[in-house]
Amino acid sequence: MLLDQYQRIANYLRIGVTDRCNLRCRYCMPEQGIDFAHRNDLLSYEEITRLAQIFRGLGVEKVRLTGGEPFVRKGIDQLIQQLCSIFPKVHITTNATLLDGYIEALKDMGVASLNISIDSLDRERFFSITRRDDYIRVMQNIQACLDAELSIKLNIVVMKGINDMELVDFIEFGMNKGVEVRFIEAMPFNEVDGNKDVFMPCQDIEAHIKANYPSMNILPSDGPSSSNLYQIGAYRFGIIPAYSRSLCGQCNRIRLTPKGEFLTCLYAKKGLNLLELLRNEGYNNDMIREAIVQQVQGKLKSGFDEEAKREERIFNSMTTIGG
Ligand code: SAM
Ligand code: SF4
């Protein structure tokens, strides 16, 4: 079992499989893209699978594939199949633009659920946020997942003055479709504007929804979760305090970046370079396992403590870490 110095169990691994993406969401990536990793600097599928087996041996039960956009990486279905044979729970976070043709296969492989990112229910606003006109495709793929009974949740990054006028629309949409929505605080990951001007804190999102649904209840946490949970009638939804970081005390997450850096916190300054260890013949699996155990033990109490150790405060793009 992976335990940190504050007795938190790390049993949920997020794997960033690529830093590339076919969208350019304004809070995530600059219009011109970023300095994308070269192929040789990315973990290969064989390397990810080798690490997956080591992490499984250390008690990790749940993985989430993320990126960049996981479905832009060639042959991703083969990796998903491998991971489904190693972990009890495999989840994927995706922008859903490229899901066509994969949905039945994901279900057959046993993928537990997809988190689909969609920041507007209005085509023009979707375009202005993502800088791509893919709204119709995303909506079609959301419906196709529902028709196939593949479990999904919707992720919405909330930006003041940009899409906060749609909070209630998203709740209504979620209620009508029977899909949980999760509103995410925008983090300062984007070298262009740092998302500061549009930041809307968790409490403001909550207050706005409460004003429209006075019967809204706050639910107690149901185990380690990145999200505050709420209920309106029988409908549940969440708000993720990604920037406020009020849920660090129950964090069970660890991360593998596309370039093989192992991070114990989204805000960590520097991780353990697992790609280097994997490609060093002097390192066997036992030695890599020990290095992972040590790294997890050193996890700090909160994302604020981790951030305080950083020299630079604004990151290039979330895609280099795996959101
Ligand atoms: N491309 C996939 C997608 O968009 O779902 C997976 C990768 S994306 C980096 C993972 C999640 O991080 C998405 O839900 C996205 O909205 C969120 N995200 C990206 N940049 C963010 C930021 N600056 N603040 C908050 N959430 C962010
Ligand atoms: Fe791409 Fe996801 Fe970032 Fe949007 S949030 S640019 S879809 S990686």
Side-chain angles (χ1 to χ4, degrees):
M1 188 160 53
L2 281 170
L3 259 191
D4 69 31
Q5 58 186 320
Y6 299 98
Q7 306 307 309
R8 290 168 299 193
I9 299 170
N11 56 9
Y12 172 17
L13 174 67
R14 297 174 66 96
I15 306 176
V17 291
T18 177
D19 56 358
R20 289 174 192 265
C21 188
N22 54 335
L23 302 188
R24 290 287 181 273
C25 303
R26 48 170 289 153
Y27 51 79
C28 180
M29 222 198 264
E31 185 152 21
Q32 71 278 15
I34 55 167
D35 191 9
F36 295 111
H38 291 285
R39 201 153 178 238
N40 280 349
D41 296 332
L42 290 180
L43 287 174
S44 68
Y45 289 160
E46 290 72 26
E47 288 166 336
I48 294 176
T49 304
R50 182 175 162 200
L51 285 176
Q53 275 152 346
I54 295 175
F55 279 108
R56 181 70 190 114
L58 286 166
V60 169
E61 290 167 353
K62 171 175 169 181
V63 289
R64 175 175 301 283
L65 294 192
T66 176
E69 173 48 42
F71 288 92
V72 299
R73 189 157 172 187
K74 222 167 151 192
I76 190 69
D77 47 337
Q78 292 154 33
L79 178 68
I80 297 169
Q81 177 99 63
Q82 286 284 336
L83 295 177
C84 285
S85 69
I86 298 172
F87 295 98
K89 286 182 262 176
V90 175
H91 301 253
I92 307 172
T93 299
T94 173
N95 62 31
T97 53
L98 304 171
L99 279 182
D100 327 37
Y102 282 113
I103 293 170
E104 284 299 334
L106 296 179
K107 207 174 169 217
D108 292 346
M109 285 178 211
V111 168
S113 79
L114 304 182
N115 281 358
I116 295 180
S117 305
I118 175 164
D119 302 315
S120 177
L121 294 169
D122 173 80
R123 185 173 173 177
E124 278 178 28
R125 193 172 290 128
F126 179 97
F127 176 74
S128 83
I129 294 171
T130 62
R131 304 184 179 108
R132 300 288 185 270
D133 188 17
D134 279 325
Y135 175 76
I136 303 286
R137 227 163 16 135
V138 170
M139 290 304 270
Q140 280 169 348
N141 283 334
I142 288 175
Q143 191 55 50
C145 290
L146 294 173
D147 294 343
E149 296 181 357
L150 181 59
S151 170
I152 61 169
K153 288 180 185 167
L154 302 184
N155 281 355
I156 302 108
V157 174
V158 180
M159 292 163 282
K160 208 174 176 53
I162 308 259
N163 65 352
D164 60 327
M165 65 295 281
E166 289 192 50
L167 294 176
V168 171
D169 297 344
F170 270 111
I171 298 271
E172 296 281 322
F173 183 80
M175 283 175 172
N176 289 337
K177 297 282 180 188
V179 175
E180 187 175 323
V181 297
R182 287 131 37 97
F183 299 108
I184 309 177
E185 280 180 346
M187 291 180 276
F189 284 80
N190 179 340
E191 62 189 5
V192 178
D193 61 14
N195 296 329
K196 285 197 186 76
D197 302 344
V198 298
F199 180 68
M200 184 161 177
C202 200
Q203 299 88 317
D204 290 4
I205 300 172
E206 184 182 311
H208 182 92
I209 298 171
K210 176 96 180 156
N212 285 274
Y213 298 99
S215 68
M216 180 184 99
N217 289 319
I218 300 177
L219 292 176
S221 146
D222 58 357
S225 169
S226 60
S227 114
N228 294 320
L229 295 172
Y230 304 86
Q231 192 154 20
I232 301 169
Y235 181 68
R236 284 162 60 114
F237 70 98
I239 304 180
I240 302 183
Y243 191 59
S244 305
R245 282 160 272 181
S246 49
L247 297 175
C248 296
Q250 59 188 56
C251 179
N252 64 343
R253 299 164 166 225
I254 44 183
R255 294 165 188 274
L256 192 55
T257 73
K259 289 166 90 172
E261 193 177 4
F262 175 55
L263 296 168
T264 54
C265 175
L266 187 53
Y267 290 87
K269 179 184 179 188
K270 196 150 174 47
L272 169 69
N273 189 337
L274 286 177
L275 182 123
E276 216 167 80
L277 301 192
L278 287 167
R279 294 182 187 177
N280 180 338
E281 285 179 8
Y283 271 82
N284 61 29
N285 284 3
D286 287 341
M287 293 155 94
I288 294 176
R289 185 177 300 118
E290 189 47 35
I292 291 170
V293 169
Q294 294 296 328
Q295 189 75 12
V296 171
Q297 274 171 5
K299 176 166 170 160
L300 299 182
K301 199 169 183 181
S302 76
F304 290 105
D305 295 344
E306 297 280 3
E307 193 181 20
K309 287 177 71 185
R310 297 187 67 91
E311 278 136 31
E312 81 289 12
R313 297 187 77 81
I314 308 283
F315 305 90
N316 185 1
S317 166
M318 183 94 143
T319 62
T320 60
I321 301 171

